[in-house]
Amino acid sequence: MGNILNKKRVKTAADKMPLLDGFEFDPPDVGDGIGGIILSIILWLIITVLFTFLLYILGVFFWVVILLFAAMLYWIFFRALRLVFKNSKHCRGNLLKSFGFGFFYSFLYISWIYGIIFLANYLN
């Protein structure tokens, strides 16, 4: 993978991660009796509302990501193919010119993705 995933970076990332020994969760003690029951119901409702909002936010995030990927695929495939077919009259019968247009548009529509990956790697 080159410099993106080398042993040193993986080890430093692994050292910074918290250790998860198990899923031991100690809920707070609410007590016994009617007060504990009422407090448990109130906490249950609050946690349910929090989880509902978190799931809603997570769903919105996934829809935004899906729509962003769909827009990228539209831009890369359909717009690039439109330009290639638009210039097909110039390349008819000339294989070298056809490869030239193909490589040019491939570079044009894919290079920005590699630019983002390069900048993310460079800034780290």
Side-chain angles (χ1 to χ4, degrees), residues 103-118:
F103 284 125
F104 174 70
Y105 286 123
S106 296
F107 175 75
L108 188 66
Y109 281 94
I110 303 292
S111 62
W112 63 274
I113 297 172
Y114 287 113
I116 291 172
I117 293 170
F118 175 73

Side-chain angles (χ1 to χ4, degrees), residues 66-121:
I66 288 170
L67 291 175
L68 183 68
F69 279 133
M72 284 192 323
L73 287 174
Y74 167 77
W75 179 260
I76 290 172
F77 289 115
F78 295 114
R79 298 284 296 187
L81 286 175
R82 180 183 170 270
L83 286 172
V84 167
F85 288 133
K86 181 180 163 186
N87 290 320
S88 66
K89 62 184 173 224
H90 302 294
C91 301
R92 190 172 309 266
N94 191 348
L95 188 60
L96 187 60
K97 198 171 191 181
S98 179
F99 276 128
F101 272 116
F103 284 125
F104 174 70
Y105 286 123
S106 296
F107 175 75
L108 188 66
Y109 281 94
I110 303 292
S111 62
W112 63 274
I113 297 172
Y114 287 113
I116 291 172
I117 293 170
F118 175 73
L119 284 176
N121 190 24

Side-chain angles (χ1 to χ4, degrees), residues 9-39:
R9 289 183 71 176
V10 171
K11 284 183 182 179
T12 57
D15 292 339
K16 294 178 185 176
M17 293 291 239
L19 293 176
L20 294 175
D21 292 338
F23 292 107
E24 296 176 16
F25 174 68
D26 263 345
D29 241 357
V30 291
D32 293 331
I34 191 74
I37 293 172
I38 293 173
L39 190 60

Side-chain angles (χ1 to χ4, degrees), residues 32-49:
D32 293 331
I34 191 74
I37 293 172
I38 293 173
L39 190 60
S40 295
I41 292 172
I42 291 172
L43 285 174
W44 173 65
L45 288 173
I46 291 172
I47 290 173
T48 303
V49 169

